[in-house]
Amino acid sequence: MASAGPPPPERNLSLPGPSRLKPKKTRRSLSYEIKYKIIQELEKGTRQVDLARQHGVNESTIRIIKKDAAKIKEHMNITKSTGASMIKYFHNQVLLKTEKLLVSYLVRQARRNVAVDTRSVKEYARELYAAVSRKMGITEPKPFNASSGWLQRFKKRNKITNINIGGEEASADRVAAGEFPPFLREIMEEGQYTDDQVFNMDESGPFWKKLPSKTFVVKNASKIRGRKLQKERITVLFTTNASGTCKLKLSVIHTACKLHAYKSMDMTKLNVHWLTARKAWMFSTLSLSWFDDCFVPDVKEFCEQQNVPFKILLLLDKAPGHSPLLLDRHPNVKVVFLPPKTTSILQPMDQELICNVKAAFSTKKFKLLNDYTNTREELRNLSDTTTDSKSEDDEDQQLAEQQVLLKQFWRIFNIKKAVDFLVEAWDQLSVATVRHAWRHVLQDILAVRQSQSVTGEVQTVVVAVDLAREAAQSVTAAGFPETTNDDILEVIRDPDVTTDEMVDDDDVSEEAGGASSQEEHRLSHSNVRGAIECVEKVKLLLSDDHDANRYEIFTTQLLQTMEPYIKVYHDNINTSRQQSITEFFARNPPQPAQASDSDRGRDSDDDFEGFVREALTNVDDSDGDSPEGQ
């Protein structure tokens, strides 16, 4: 009987059910240096399969490297010639510029407490993209549709949060506006605040040199030297109480600490409080400075003069520039924030007061322009020729002279004159106008306020705009006689810049002669280090939070926000140059040894350690002040 042979091999039958998990492959990323070496080996004749085994990659990876050999060699040549460790290729410079300006636009809207929706952001981005293309002279830019995917990535890259996801634009919250006056009345009754003790502050950012768009100067702005000054913006802070008896001194925020127009004046003794900010905007830290140095001293002085108890209630809107630290900043000042999206309904300063002031300011500006263009020389020239004998050449010459005078006025009209006009317009506001502006937020105690004696008439915006229009029409230069009320409203309205203006505004410089310089705005190494230390202190102060999840989310977002500045700090450390020993001796020449009797027994190693310690101290001091570290 034949012996049985070996058993047949088991068949690998695939049964239904979950398959066995395969080990996950780890992806290797080869640097440009390694790719360059692989290309050199290929040129020497090394087989692709051997290079794949050597570097632990697939043979297809070697083939791709061989295909991209020209690009890899170009990259290595650039890095060797420039010393750069990394090269970033941006394929669409127009889009980069567009996104930069779009961030500025959204920041501007946030500071104005204006929320924007996704639809309007997409439309503005497309218009901005076209404006940047025209500015850069690109007739056929790459297509840009501002898709939803691009918007989500844009928001993530720039940490934008003030874009509503819904399709409807943000509107005033009338429910919250109706609930706030009773709440405010309870606060006033509990604290026994009178109308003299209730204040409101709001800011406005006009272009103080702006003229109607139909005028000669605006139409020919591109041909006039200094044309960008028309878009120079200041921020003005208006503050008054509910009784109208105290209109505080205006506060002006400018980019420069001192301008040429104020060269011979003490900035602390002006008719306004002069504040400085890089973009001439209100921000949280500056709001604290305004509160401590401007508001509290002025209100305290008013209370002493009027024999009113120094107990103040201040109403503010929830703009990003108003710091929440104002809530308990001073024991005698209670700060109350208006509900979001109720500014246009409740805030007294927005109820015709600021608009009245800006309209009166425009009236004064146009009257001064009219006086300047109608000089004695021009009147004498007009009297030399009669109306009947006046030819077309004479009319053209007269128009040319007016244009020259207008351009001269536009150049010499400086920030000091503008501030003086704003102060005059602010002082001319009647008590009745101020009380009328508080009618919505104090509607429950309106009858009590109306029973008090009121001086002056209510100044309406319609009348103020009419006066400004008449003053503009009195200017005989081209374009002014055609001024309408809509043109005046465009001039006095807070700038909601167009895309073309946004592109031009990116290059606007400060007024010539200003005292501010780039050194004032330089981000020093010590400032970055101080900011990081403050962040660490904040984390330490909140580390006892019983809600660990809330604290973890906060610290994560905080570190993500500080990541660009931490990178700046690390770059400053890496680029700081250590002082050489020869430079140390150049600054600290060695002195002859003069050992005292008590030092004669000291070991020479101790002397050397002291020398090294002193050298390292000098190195640290020099690094902190070096230009490379700033």
Side-chain angles (χ1 to χ4, degrees):
M1 182 174 182
S3 61
E10 297 182 358
R11 298 179 60 186
N12 187 11
L13 301 177
S14 58
L15 300 177
S19 59
R20 181 180 299 177
L21 296 177
K22 298 180 180 180
K24 186 177 181 181
K25 294 183 178 180
T26 58
R27 181 178 179 182
R28 289 197 58 192
S29 178
L30 301 179
S31 64
Y32 272 95
E33 289 78 5
I34 296 177
K35 292 179 182 179
Y36 186 69
K37 292 180 179 178
I38 291 175
I39 293 173
Q40 291 178 332
E41 293 295 329
L42 289 172
E43 292 177 348
K44 293 179 181 178
T46 307
R47 295 192 309 168
Q48 295 181 7
V49 63
D50 296 336
L51 291 173
R53 293 196 188 105
Q54 178 181 349
H55 295 282
V57 295
N58 294 330
E59 189 176 351
S60 60
T61 303
I62 304 298
R63 289 196 295 267
I64 294 175
I65 294 176
K66 182 179 179 180
K67 180 180 178 182
D68 298 336
K71 294 181 179 180
I72 297 174
K73 289 182 179 179
E74 181 183 2
H75 178 96
M76 294 302 297
N77 291 334
I78 295 175
T79 54
K80 288 180 180 179
S81 60
T82 60
S85 59
M86 180 183 298
I87 298 177
K88 294 183 178 180
Y89 296 96
F90 298 109
H91 302 286
N92 194 343
Q93 297 294 330
V94 179
L95 184 57
L96 291 177
K97 182 74 171 180
T98 299
E99 292 190 355
K100 173 190 172 184
L101 296 177
L102 188 59
V103 170
S104 301
Y105 167 76
L106 294 175
V107 170
R108 186 195 299 264
Q109 296 298 92
R111 293 185 182 277
R112 295 174 60 194
N113 205 21
V114 177
V116 292
D117 63 291
T118 54
R119 178 182 54 82
S120 61
V121 171
K122 291 179 182 179
E123 292 178 357
Y124 196 86
R126 286 190 288 266
E127 295 176 3
L128 198 58
Y129 187 82
V132 172
S133 301
R134 291 192 300 269
K135 185 72 174 182
M136 299 178 66
I138 301 176
T139 56
E140 295 182 359
K142 295 182 178 180
F144 173 65
N145 299 322
S147 62
S148 299
W150 164 83
L151 182 59
Q152 293 299 325
R153 293 189 296 270
F154 167 78
K155 290 170 57 179
K156 184 177 180 180
R157 286 194 300 269
N158 299 279
K159 296 180 175 61
I160 301 297
T161 59
N162 64 317
I163 300 178
N164 294 335
I165 301 301
E168 297 294 331
E169 293 189 3
S171 59
D173 190 346
R174 298 191 176 275
V175 176
E179 296 174 351
F180 182 77
F183 168 74
L184 181 62
R185 186 187 68 247
E186 294 179 1
I187 294 178
M188 294 181 63
E189 291 176 353
E190 181 181 354
Q192 297 181 350
Y193 293 100
T194 65
D195 286 359
D196 291 333
Q197 297 169 314
V198 182
F199 284 78
N200 173 235
M201 185 277 288
D202 192 22
E203 60 265 15
S204 179
F207 288 146
W208 57 271
K209 215 166 185 177
K210 191 173 184 180
L211 294 175
S213 58
K214 299 176 182 178
T215 59
F216 163 78
V217 169
V218 178
K219 289 183 178 181
N220 297 271
S222 60
K223 303 177 183 177
I224 301 176
R225 180 173 56 87
R227 60 187 174 89
K228 291 181 180 179
L229 290 180
Q230 182 174 337
K231 296 176 182 177
E232 182 179 346
R233 174 182 32 81
I234 58 175
T235 298
V236 185
L237 278 59
F238 303 86
T239 312
T240 184
N241 62 355
S243 65
T245 57
C246 180
K247 297 193 294 288
L248 294 186
K249 181 189 292 187
L250 297 179
S251 298
V252 175
I253 305 177
H254 198 276
T255 57
C257 296
K258 190 170 185 177
L259 293 169
H260 183 72
Y262 292 102
K263 63 178 180 179
S264 59
M265 303 181 65
D266 186 356
M267 300 301 290
T268 61
K269 298 180 180 179
L270 302 181
N271 53 355
V272 296
H273 295 294
W274 192 267
L275 308 175
T276 56
R278 183 177 183 182
K279 291 290 187 179
W281 286 335
M282 171 65 85
F283 56 95
S284 57
T285 305
L286 188 61
S287 68
L288 299 177
S289 300
W290 167 83
F291 183 86
D292 296 336
D293 303 332
C294 305
F295 177 75
V296 172
D298 288 356
V299 171
K300 187 176 182 180
E301 181 181 356
F302 162 75
C303 293
E304 293 175 353
Q305 293 176 353
Q306 301 296 323
N307 196 22
V308 176
F310 181 38
K311 185 175 59 174
I312 303 300
L313 177 63
L314 175 61
L315 301 182
L316 297 174
D317 59 30
K318 283 193 174 181
H322 299 162
S323 173
L325 298 179
L326 292 170
L327 290 173
D328 58 350
R329 189 72 173 180
H330 196 280
N332 297 83
V333 180
K334 181 178 181 62
V335 176
V336 176
F337 286 101
L338 297 171
K341 303 179 185 179
T342 61
T343 298
S344 59
I345 301 176
L346 293 178
Q347 181 147 244
M349 297 309 308
D350 275 353
Q351 307 301 317
E352 302 182 350
L353 290 185
I354 293 179
C355 198
N356 260 302
V357 172
K358 293 196 290 187
F361 164 78
S362 298
T363 302
K364 296 177 182 295
K365 179 172 63 175
F366 293 137
K367 286 183 176 179
L368 181 64
L369 175 58
N370 185 37
D371 295 339
Y372 186 85
T373 53
N374 289 283
T375 59
R376 293 182 179 180
E377 289 77 11
E378 183 181 357
L379 294 176
R380 184 167 57 249
N381 293 334
L382 293 176
S383 63
D384 293 340
T385 59
T386 62
T387 306
D388 297 336
S389 61
K390 189 180 297 184
S391 62
E392 294 183 0
D393 295 338
D394 295 333
E395 293 180 355
D396 293 340
Q397 182 179 359
Q398 177 185 345
L399 181 60
E401 292 175 354
Q402 291 174 345
Q403 293 175 353
V404 171
L405 292 172
L406 183 59
K407 287 190 292 184
Q408 290 177 350
F409 170 83
W410 192 64
R411 292 171 183 169
I412 66 174
F413 183 68
N414 57 24
I415 185 67
K416 181 181 181 303
K417 179 60 68 176
V419 169
D420 292 342
F421 281 170
L422 281 171
V423 172
E424 293 176 9
W426 175 243
D427 293 339
Q428 290 174 0
L429 273 181
S430 65
V431 175
T433 305
V434 176
R435 291 188 177 183
H436 186 259
W438 285 79
R439 67 191 183 279
H440 295 302
V441 71
L442 296 180
Q443 56 185 353
D444 293 331
I445 55 176
L446 184 60
V448 178
R449 294 172 57 243
Q450 285 181 340
S451 64
Q452 303 174 357
S453 59
V454 178
T455 59
E457 298 180 355
V458 177
Q459 300 159 296
T460 63
V461 175
V462 176
V463 175
V465 171
D466 286 338
L467 294 175
R469 173 183 52 78
E470 294 173 0
Q473 289 177 346
S474 64
V475 181
T476 56
F480 284 92
E482 294 82 16
T483 303
T484 63
N485 283 13
D486 291 337
D487 297 328
I488 299 299
L489 291 174
E490 179 189 356
V491 170
I492 67 178
R493 188 180 295 118
D494 272 4
D496 190 7
V497 294
T498 63
T499 53
D500 290 325
E501 290 174 338
M502 195 77 183
V503 175
D504 293 337
D505 189 44
D506 188 53
D507 301 325
V508 171
S509 59
E510 297 173 357
E511 186 180 42
S516 70
S517 62
Q518 293 296 330
E519 294 183 358
E520 296 180 9
H521 304 318
R522 181 178 297 171
L523 191 62
S524 66
H525 178 70
S526 59
N527 289 343
V528 178
R529 180 176 56 190
I532 296 176
E533 292 176 353
C534 290
V535 170
E536 295 298 329
K537 291 180 180 178
V538 170
K539 292 169 57 180
L540 181 62
L541 290 173
L542 299 178
S543 60
D544 295 333
D545 189 357
H546 66 279
D547 191 339
N549 186 35
R550 177 174 59 190
Y551 177 74
E552 185 67 24
I553 294 175
F554 167 75
T555 54
T556 302
Q557 294 179 348
L558 186 64
L559 290 176
Q560 289 177 352
T561 305
M562 287 296 298
E563 184 178 355
Y565 295 99
I566 295 175
K567 183 179 183 303
V568 171
Y569 180 77
H570 289 165
D571 292 342
N572 289 343
I573 293 295
N574 294 334
T575 57
S576 60
R577 182 174 56 87
Q578 185 177 4
Q579 186 182 24
S580 64
I581 194 67
T582 55
E583 292 176 341
F584 170 76
F585 279 124
R587 292 178 55 185
N588 304 277
Q591 301 294 331
Q594 297 179 355
S596 60
D597 295 338
S598 60
D599 294 336
R600 294 186 187 280
R602 182 180 302 175
D603 190 77
S604 59
D605 291 340
D606 296 337
D607 295 338
F608 181 74
E609 290 178 0
F611 161 75
V612 172
R613 192 179 303 110
E614 182 182 359
L616 292 177
T617 302
N618 283 275
V619 168
D620 292 339
D621 294 340
S622 64
D623 287 345
D625 299 331
S626 63
E628 292 84 347
Q630 294 182 352

